C-alpha cells in the first residue's frame, strides 16, 4: 500500500492549487482524480489577495498573459421597478491598487496548473477515481477505482458538490436552490472595455460582463431557467444581438463565441469543513451563485488556512487537524455565503421595503467615499479595511516620529 502524508482528492482549480501550495511543505503529497475533465469555457475572477497568493506559488507569470485586469467595477440598475438605484463605480485606485484583480479563462488556467504539477517531483499524480475512504487510528485508507489502496495521514476533499470524501467523513450539508439559471459565455465586442466590469441588476438577477484580454469579455447572465435555455440555444448571431441589447450597446456590436452554457443556480454549505483527518475545500465545502467574484477566492483562503495549519503540525498530529481547520474557516465561509445569498434574493424580491434597502445602500455607496472604500477592501480580503486602517495609522505614527 502506498503511503502519503497528504492525499488531495479532486484536480479542479481548488484541488490542483492545493497540491501546489502544499507540495513545498516537506510532506509527501498525492493528487488523486481521473485525467478527463469536461470542457470549461468559463472564467474566474481572482481578487488582489488571491493574485498575491499565486505569486507566492510562482504561478502568476505563466497565468498573467491569459488574464485581464479589473480596474473598475460598476453597478447599474437595469430594472424597471419603482425604486431604482443610482450607478455606482468602484475604482481600484481609490484603495491604492492598480487593479482589484484579474479575470482568467479556466481552460488555460488549468493547463498551467497541470503542467506545473507534472513538473513537480514531489506531487504523485494518481489518475484514478476514489470509491471509498475509511478512517483508521493511524490514517485514512482510500480505495481507488482499480482496487488500489492508498493510506494518507490527512485527506483533503476537493471533489466538488457531490463530494465522496465529504460523505465518507460523515459530514452533512445544507443545500438550497434558486429559481434561476446562469447563462455563461464569452464574446468579442467593437469597443474596448477599458478594464471595466459592468454588472446590471435586473429583476431576474445580475447580468455581469467581465473583461478578457483584447476586445473580449466573459458574461454571466442570471435568468429564469427556461429563458436561459432558450437564449443558450439561439444561433450565435441572435444571442449576440440579445446581449448587445441588454448591455445597451455600451461595447458596440457584440459577437458571441460558440459554446454558451447554462447552469441551474443553487447553494450549499457543509455542516462543518473538517473532521478528524478530513478537510474540505472549494465546492466540497461551499458553493453559491457566481455573484461578486467570491467562489474561488474563498477556496484560495481555504488553501491558505490549511497551508498555515500544516506548517505548524506534524503528520502524527493530523488526527485533529480537521477540527482546527473547521474553527479557522467557519466565520469567513458563513459570512460570505450569507452575503451572496442575501444579495441574490434582494434582486428577486418585489417587496418594496427590500427594494428600498437595496436602493438606499447603493445610494450611500455612490455618495460616501469612505464607505465605498470599506466595501471595496472587504470584497478583496476579509477584514481588509481594518488592515488598511492599521497600516495607515502606523505610517502616520512613523512620519510623526521622523
Amino acid at each position: 500500500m502506498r503511503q502519503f502524508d497528504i492525499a488531495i482528492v479532486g484536480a479542479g482549480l481548488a484541488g490542483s492549487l492545493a497540491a501546489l501550495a502544499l507540495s513545498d511543505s516537506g510532506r509527501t503529497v498525492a493528487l488523486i482524480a481521473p485525467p478527463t475533465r469536461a470542457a470549461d469555457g468559463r472564467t474566474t475572477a481572482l481578487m488582489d489577495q488571491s493574485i498575491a497568493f499565486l505569486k507566492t506559488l510562482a504561478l502568476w507569470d505563466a497565468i498573467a498573459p491569459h488574464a485581464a485586469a479589473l480596474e473598475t467595477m460598476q453597478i447599474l440598475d437595469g430594472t424597471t421597478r419603482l425604486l431604482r438605484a443610482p450607478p455606482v463605480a468602484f475604482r481600484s485606485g481609490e484603495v491604492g491598487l492598480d487593479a482589484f484583480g484579474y479575470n482568467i479563462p479556466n481552460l488555460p488556467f488549468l493547463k498551467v496548473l497541470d503542467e506545473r504539477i507534472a513538473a513537480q517531483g514531489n506531487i504523485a499524480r494518481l489518475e484514478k477515481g476514489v470509491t471509498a475512504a475509511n478512517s483508521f487510528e493511524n490514517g485514512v485508507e482510500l480505495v481507488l477505482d482499480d482496487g488500489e489502496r492508498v493510506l494518507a495521514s490527512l485527506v483533503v476533499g476537493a471533489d466538488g458538490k457531490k463530494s465522496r470524501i465529504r460523505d465518507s467523513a460523515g459530514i452533512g450539508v445544507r443545500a438550497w436552490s434558486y429559481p434561476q439559471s446562469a447563462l455563461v459565455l464569452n464574446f468579442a465586442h467593437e469597443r474596448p472595455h477599458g478594464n471595466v466590469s459592468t454588472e446590471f441588476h435586473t429583476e431576474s438577477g445580475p447580468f455581469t460582463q467581465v473583461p478578457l484580454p483584447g476586445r473580449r469579455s466573459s458574461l454571466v447572465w442570471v435568468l429564469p431557467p427556461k429563458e436561459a435555455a432558450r437564449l443558450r440555444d439561439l444561433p450565435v448571431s441572435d444571442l449576440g444581438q440579445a446581449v448587445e441589447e441588454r448591455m445597451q450597446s455600451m461595447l458596440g456590436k457584440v459577437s458571441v463565441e460558440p459554446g454558451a452554457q447554462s447552469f441551474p443556480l443553487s447553494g450549499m454549505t457543509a455542516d462543518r469543513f473538517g473532521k478528524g483527518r478530513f478537510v474540505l475545500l472549494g465546492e466540497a465545502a461551499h458553493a453559491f451563485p457566481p455573484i461578486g467574484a467570491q467562489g474561488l477566492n474563498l477556496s484560495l483562503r481555504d488553501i491558505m488556512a490549511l497551508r498555515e495549519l500544516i506548517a505548524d503540525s506534524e503528520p502524527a498530529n493530523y488526527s485533529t487537524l480537521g477540527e482546527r481547520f473547521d474553527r479557522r474557516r467557519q466565520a469567513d465561509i458563513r459570512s460570505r455565503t450569507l452575503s451572496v445569498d442575501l444579495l441574490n434574493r434582494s434582486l428577486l424580491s418585489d417587496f418594496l421595503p427590500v427594494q428600498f434597502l437595496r436602493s438606499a445602500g447603493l445610494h450611500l455607496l455612490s455618495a460616501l467615499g469612505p464607505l465605498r472604500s470599506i466595501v471595496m477592501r472587504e470584497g478583496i480580503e476579509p477584514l481588509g479595511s481594518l488592515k488598511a486602517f492599521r497600516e495607515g495609522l502606523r505610517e502616520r505614527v512613523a512620519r510623526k516620529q521622523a
Side-chain angles (χ1 to χ4, degrees):
M1 186 185 299
R2 300 176 70 178
Q3 297 187 20
F4 300 93
D5 295 325
I6 304 166
I8 299 163
V9 180
L13 288 171
S16 297
L17 284 163
L20 289 166
L22 301 179
S23 65
D24 63 355
S25 63
R27 313 291 189 255
T28 54
V29 176
L31 178 61
I32 307 174
T36 56
R37 295 194 188 101
D40 193 349
R42 294 173 295 173
T43 67
T44 297
L46 292 183
M47 297 295 102
D48 183 69
Q49 182 191 32
S50 298
I51 297 299
F53 185 59
L54 293 184
K55 290 177 180 177
T56 68
L57 301 180
L59 288 168
W60 180 240
D61 287 347
I63 295 168
H66 306 286
L70 306 178
E71 296 178 8
T72 299
M73 297 182 178
Q74 60 181 354
I75 298 174
L76 303 178
D77 194 328
T79 69
T80 56
R81 288 170 174 158
L82 177 64
L83 296 175
R84 299 184 68 200
V88 180
F90 303 94
R91 296 178 175 84
S92 58
E94 293 185 66
V95 288
L97 296 174
D98 293 331
F100 289 116
Y102 290 80
N103 191 33
I104 309 164
N106 286 359
L107 198 60
F109 195 173
L110 284 164
K111 184 179 179 182
V112 168
L113 298 182
D114 287 344
E115 290 172 352
R116 189 62 55 88
I117 288 166
Q120 291 280 85
N122 48 357
I123 299 175
R125 182 69 173 92
L126 308 184
E127 296 186 337
K128 302 165 188 176
V130 173
T131 60
N134 305 304
S135 187
F136 297 97
E137 185 177 348
N138 64 333
V140 177
E141 182 190 69
L142 299 175
V143 182
L144 308 188
D145 54 17
D146 65 349
E148 182 183 356
R149 294 171 186 267
V150 170
L151 185 67
S153 298
L154 179 73
V155 172
V156 178
D159 50 341
K161 292 180 184 178
K162 298 180 180 180
S163 171
R164 188 178 293 273
I165 296 302
R166 185 183 63 227
D167 293 344
S168 297
I171 298 174
V173 301
R174 185 175 77 88
W176 61 95
S177 61
Y178 299 95
Q180 302 161 294
S181 289
L183 178 66
V184 180
L185 56 89
N186 298 327
F187 64 98
H189 38 79
E190 187 177 29
R191 298 174 189 153
H193 49 57
N195 294 334
V196 176
S197 174
T198 301
E199 180 171 288
F200 287 88
H201 285 180
T202 78
E203 287 88 349
S204 64
F207 171 105
T208 308
Q209 164 266 331
V210 190
L212 285 170
R215 295 191 181 188
R216 296 176 64 243
S217 292
S218 61
L219 176 70
V220 178
W221 190 354
V222 177
L223 293 155
K226 288 184 179 179
E227 180 64 4
R230 184 189 73 82
L231 289 169
R232 179 199 63 205
D233 295 337
L234 287 176
V236 290
S237 58
D238 294 341
L239 180 53
Q241 185 175 350
V243 171
E244 183 180 337
E245 289 174 359
R246 177 69 271 183
M247 288 202 71
Q248 302 170 16
S249 297
M250 289 176 60
L251 296 175
K253 182 175 175 56
V254 163
S255 300
V256 169
E257 299 171 5
Q261 301 167 278
S262 65
F263 305 91
L265 292 194
S266 62
M268 181 278 293
T269 55
D271 293 339
R272 54 196 301 173
F273 309 118
K275 179 181 178 183
R277 296 181 182 274
F278 293 96
V279 163
L280 303 179
L281 298 177
E283 290 196 341
H286 45 76
F288 41 72
I291 296 172
Q294 294 299 314
L296 188 61
N297 291 284
L298 190 61
S299 301
L300 281 171
R301 293 200 293 276
D302 293 341
I303 296 168
M304 293 177 207
L306 180 59
R307 194 184 195 204
E308 291 176 4
L309 288 170
I310 284 174
D312 295 334
S313 305
E314 292 298 322
N317 299 322
Y318 286 175
S319 60
T320 60
L321 196 140
E323 283 76 13
R324 284 177 279 153
F325 179 82
D326 178 60
R327 289 192 295 270
R328 179 79 67 92
R329 297 300 299 140
Q330 279 285 339
D332 186 19
I333 293 172
R334 302 293 181 197
S335 63
R336 296 286 159 157
T337 302
L338 178 62
S339 63
V340 169
D341 181 62
L342 288 175
L343 175 58
N344 190 41
R345 292 184 190 278
S346 75
L347 292 173
L348 293 172
S349 177
D350 288 321
F351 189 43
L352 273 176
V354 173
Q355 292 181 35
F356 172 78
L357 288 173
R358 185 179 68 85
S359 178
L362 290 173
H363 269 288
L364 289 172
L365 286 173
S366 177
L368 300 178
L371 178 61
R372 197 163 57 249
S373 177
I374 289 171
V375 170
M376 285 188 282
R377 291 188 183 280
E378 290 303 311
I380 295 167
E381 178 183 358
L383 302 178
S385 55
L386 180 60
K387 179 181 175 182
F389 174 76
R390 287 199 306 263
E391 290 174 353
L393 186 61
R394 279 198 294 267
E395 287 178 8
R396 287 196 292 271
V397 170
R399 284 199 297 268
K400 285 183 179 179
Q401 291 175 343

